[in-house]
Short mmCIF file of all heavy atoms in Angstrom, two decimals:
data_model
loop_
_atom_site.label_atom_id
_atom_site.label_comp_id
_atom_site.label_asym_id
_atom_site.label_seq_id
_atom_site.Cartn_x
_atom_site.Cartn_y
_atom_site.Cartn_z
N GLN R 400 59.79 106.98 123.21
CA GLN R 400 58.67 106.60 122.38
C GLN R 400 58.59 105.08 122.24
O GLN R 400 57.56 104.45 122.47
CB GLN R 400 58.86 107.25 120.99
CG GLN R 400 57.85 106.84 119.97
CD GLN R 400 56.79 107.92 119.86
OE1 GLN R 400 56.62 108.72 120.78
NE2 GLN R 400 56.12 107.98 118.75
N PHE R 401 59.71 104.48 121.86
CA PHE R 401 59.77 103.04 121.64
C PHE R 401 59.50 102.28 122.93
O PHE R 401 58.76 101.31 122.96
CB PHE R 401 61.15 102.64 121.08
CG PHE R 401 61.24 102.80 119.58
CD1 PHE R 401 60.89 104.00 118.97
CD2 PHE R 401 61.69 101.75 118.79
CE1 PHE R 401 60.98 104.14 117.59
CE2 PHE R 401 61.78 101.90 117.41
CZ PHE R 401 61.43 103.08 116.81
N GLN R 402 60.12 102.78 124.02
CA GLN R 402 59.96 102.13 125.31
C GLN R 402 58.50 102.14 125.74
O GLN R 402 57.97 101.16 126.25
CB GLN R 402 60.79 102.82 126.39
CG GLN R 402 62.28 102.56 126.33
CD GLN R 402 62.63 101.14 126.75
OE1 GLN R 402 61.76 100.37 127.15
NE2 GLN R 402 63.90 100.79 126.64
N GLY R 403 57.85 103.28 125.49
CA GLY R 403 56.45 103.45 125.87
C GLY R 403 55.57 102.39 125.20
O GLY R 403 54.81 101.68 125.85
N VAL R 404 55.74 102.30 123.88
CA VAL R 404 54.95 101.34 123.11
C VAL R 404 55.23 99.92 123.61
O VAL R 404 54.31 99.15 123.89
CB VAL R 404 55.28 101.45 121.60
CG1 VAL R 404 54.60 100.33 120.82
CG2 VAL R 404 54.88 102.81 121.07
N ALA R 405 56.51 99.64 123.77
CA ALA R 405 56.91 98.27 124.14
C ALA R 405 56.34 97.89 125.50
O ALA R 405 55.79 96.79 125.65
CB ALA R 405 58.43 98.15 124.15
N SER R 406 56.43 98.79 126.46
CA SER R 406 55.99 98.38 127.80
C SER R 406 54.48 98.20 127.85
O SER R 406 53.98 97.32 128.54
CB SER R 406 56.48 99.37 128.86
OG SER R 406 56.00 100.64 128.57
N LYS R 407 53.74 99.00 127.05
CA LYS R 407 52.28 98.83 126.99
C LYS R 407 51.93 97.46 126.41
O LYS R 407 51.14 96.71 126.97
CB LYS R 407 51.67 99.95 126.12
CG LYS R 407 50.41 100.58 126.76
CD LYS R 407 49.82 101.61 125.84
CE LYS R 407 49.99 103.02 126.40
NZ LYS R 407 49.71 104.04 125.37
N GLU R 408 52.56 97.14 125.30
CA GLU R 408 52.30 95.87 124.62
C GLU R 408 52.69 94.69 125.50
O GLU R 408 51.99 93.68 125.56
CB GLU R 408 53.06 95.80 123.29
CG GLU R 408 52.57 96.79 122.25
CD GLU R 408 51.09 96.60 121.93
OE1 GLU R 408 50.66 95.44 121.72
OE2 GLU R 408 50.33 97.60 121.91
N LEU R 409 53.82 94.88 126.18
CA LEU R 409 54.34 93.83 127.03
C LEU R 409 53.35 93.51 128.15
O LEU R 409 53.08 92.35 128.47
CB LEU R 409 55.67 94.28 127.61
CG LEU R 409 56.64 93.20 128.10
CD1 LEU R 409 57.03 92.29 126.96
CD2 LEU R 409 57.87 93.84 128.71
N GLU R 410 52.79 94.57 128.69
CA GLU R 410 51.85 94.42 129.79
C GLU R 410 50.65 93.58 129.35
O GLU R 410 50.27 92.60 130.01
CB GLU R 410 51.39 95.81 130.23
CG GLU R 410 50.99 95.90 131.69
CD GLU R 410 50.63 97.33 132.05
OE1 GLU R 410 51.39 98.26 131.66
OE2 GLU R 410 49.59 97.52 132.67
N THR R 411 50.07 93.96 128.21
CA THR R 411 48.91 93.23 127.71
C THR R 411 49.27 91.78 127.47
O THR R 411 48.53 90.86 127.85
CB THR R 411 48.43 93.84 126.36
OG1 THR R 411 48.90 95.17 126.27
CG2 THR R 411 46.92 93.79 126.25
N CYS R 412 50.37 91.59 126.84
CA CYS R 412 50.80 90.24 126.48
C CYS R 412 51.00 89.38 127.72
O CYS R 412 50.53 88.25 127.78
CB CYS R 412 52.07 90.34 125.65
SG CYS R 412 53.03 88.83 125.64
N LEU R 413 51.70 89.94 128.73
CA LEU R 413 52.01 89.17 129.93
C LEU R 413 50.74 88.82 130.69
O LEU R 413 50.63 87.75 131.29
CB LEU R 413 52.99 89.90 130.81
CG LEU R 413 54.43 90.01 130.26
CD1 LEU R 413 55.31 90.78 131.21
CD2 LEU R 413 55.01 88.64 129.98
N ASP R 414 49.77 89.74 130.65
CA ASP R 414 48.49 89.49 131.30
C ASP R 414 47.82 88.24 130.75
O ASP R 414 47.32 87.39 131.47
CB ASP R 414 47.55 90.69 131.07
CG ASP R 414 47.65 91.67 132.22
OD1 ASP R 414 48.38 91.33 133.18
OD2 ASP R 414 47.02 92.74 132.15
N LYS R 415 47.82 88.17 129.41
CA LYS R 415 47.12 87.07 128.75
C LYS R 415 47.89 85.76 128.83
O LYS R 415 47.30 84.69 128.99
CB LYS R 415 46.91 87.43 127.26
CG LYS R 415 45.86 88.50 127.06
CD LYS R 415 45.67 88.73 125.56
CE LYS R 415 44.80 89.94 125.31
NZ LYS R 415 45.04 90.51 123.98
N ALA R 416 49.20 85.83 128.69
CA ALA R 416 49.99 84.61 128.45
C ALA R 416 50.23 83.75 129.68
O ALA R 416 50.52 82.57 129.54
CB ALA R 416 51.31 84.96 127.81
#
Side-chain angles (χ1 to χ4, degrees):
Chain R
Q400 174 99 339
F401 276 52
Q402 285 288 357
V404 173
S406 58
K407 225 183 249 167
E408 293 301 314
L409 202 61
E410 208 176 314
T411 339
C412 159
L413 290 179
D414 267 355
K415 288 183 189 157

